[in-house]
Amino acid sequence: MSRPPITGATLVAGVAGAPVRHSLSPLIHNAWLEAGGIDGIYVPFGPPADAFDSFVMGLRGGAVRGINVTLPFKEQALACATSASARAQAAAAANLLIFEPDGSIVADNTDGLGLLGAFAAQAPDFDVAAGPIAILGAGGAARGAVAALLQAGCPEVRIVNRTLAKAEALAGALGGPVRACELAAAAEAFAGVSAVINATSVGLDGKGVLDAPLEATPDTAVIMDMIYKPLVTPFLHWAQSLGRRTVDGLAMLIGQAAPSFEAFYGQPPPPGAHVRALALKALEP
Ligand code: ATR
């Protein structure tokens, strides 16, 4: 199927980031639109890094249905909104803004759904409620992940961070069964976990190797990296060499895009678009 011609009725959505040039979201959403013959379009927006608020205010009123928001604007996106879902509030960040015709802006965060969707897609028998999960990092990405895991019934989350004070602050802010641990003592934090998730920026573009003792995880642990460029980060490569099952960041990216698509275009992504294969091709050097 192909997309109908663009008219005044075409639903417009997009993604805002700085930089936005390398975002895979336009590729994913437009492939779904085309596969479903849906009258919509999805475009990249690159507002100046210091002018996100005025960019968003200019979109109010519904001419643009909504936008995804990526780095470095996720916290500002939440602050701009008229109202926010519980999961956006828990994550203290929004990756999705919907512009209502009355001028209001509704914030949501589908990154947590993306994280859970990635496990469902690549480690189908993994049960988030089955045991403790360790998260590496204590920044914005880690916060969203911890909130989503607690919401999904994880019995204990261990935030493992280079700077212990930041892990403690995040654990305190989120409350619940969350422990803070120093990266230097990660072996202890990895004992008995069902999964380890890298939510740091280490390994992006193949730079750096996270000094985390994955050999201290049980053989059955699933190792996930939120980074998708490269698809197999040094962290995942190491996990695979230890024989651990792995989940990649591209599955999370596609997992967060699906509920965003439904919010923009009023229907779930159609089957048959092969967006993972398209994204993998786009990631090739
Ligand atoms: P984001 O909001 O995208 O999550 P961030 O707030 O900059 O990004 O957080 C980056 C995370 O990566 C932090 O947890 C950081 O650890 P510190 O709190 O100690 O700074 C972690 N990080 C970055 N470089 C690291 C490295 N070389 N080794 C270990 N952790 C690192």
Side-chain angles (χ1 to χ4, degrees):
M1 220 182 261
S2 68
R3 190 167 50 204
I6 290 170
T7 67
T10 302
L11 281 171
V12 182
V15 56
V20 77
R21 242 187 110 170
H22 301 294
S23 170
L24 292 174
S25 294
L27 180 81
I28 293 168
H29 285 268
N30 286 309
W32 279 332
L33 288 168
E34 200 171 326
I38 298 162
D39 188 10
I41 188 160
Y42 187 99
V43 292
F45 296 109
D50 59 355
F52 180 74
D53 287 13
S54 49
F55 162 75
V56 168
M57 291 307 149
L59 297 179
R60 285 170 69 155
V64 168
R65 180 65 184 127
I67 54 170
N68 285 124
V69 180
T70 185
L71 297 179
F73 299 130
K74 290 186 181 185
E75 283 86 5
Q76 281 178 74
L78 181 65
C80 290
T82 320
S83 63
S85 66
R87 57 194 185 207
Q89 288 176 36
N95 76 327
L96 175 61
L97 295 177
I98 295 294
F99 301 107
E100 298 295 0
D102 67 1
S104 60
I105 305 173
V106 182
D108 197 358
N109 194 317
T110 65
D111 285 334
L113 292 176
L115 181 75
L116 299 170
F119 277 93
Q122 298 189 330
D125 63 341
F126 175 77
D127 177 5
V128 72
I133 296 178
I135 301 275
L136 294 163
R143 181 177 178 131
V146 177
L149 293 171
L150 291 174
Q151 179 65 34
C154 180
E156 183 189 337
V157 180
R158 301 172 184 167
I159 302 174
V160 180
N161 198 44
R162 181 177 58 182
T163 311
L164 179 61
K166 275 209 225 167
E168 286 173 340
L170 183 54
L174 286 166
V178 182
R179 268 177 47 196
C181 316
E182 200 170 356
L183 183 59
E188 205 183 308
F190 286 173
V193 293
S194 61
V196 176
I197 300 170
N198 177 30
T200 76
S201 44
V202 183
L204 184 64
D205 291 324
K207 288 181 200 132
V209 182
L210 203 52
D211 190 16
L214 286 180
E215 65 280 0
T217 60
D219 293 349
T220 51
V222 178
I223 312 299
M224 195 233 171
D225 202 325
M226 290 196 190
I227 293 170
Y228 60 83
K229 202 177 162 206
L231 186 70
V232 182
T233 58
F235 183 68
L236 289 189
H237 195 265
W238 182 25
Q240 287 171 359
S241 70
L242 291 169
R244 303 291 186 273
R245 281 185 303 158
T246 58
V247 173
D248 62 53
L250 183 57
M252 178 171 169
L253 183 77
I254 295 169
Q256 65 75 39
S260 301
F261 184 92
E262 189 158 359
F264 298 141
Y265 306 109
Q267 54 190 297
H274 307 299
V275 292
R276 185 173 167 93
L278 287 171
L280 284 174
K281 197 146 192 273
L283 285 171
E284 277 172 12

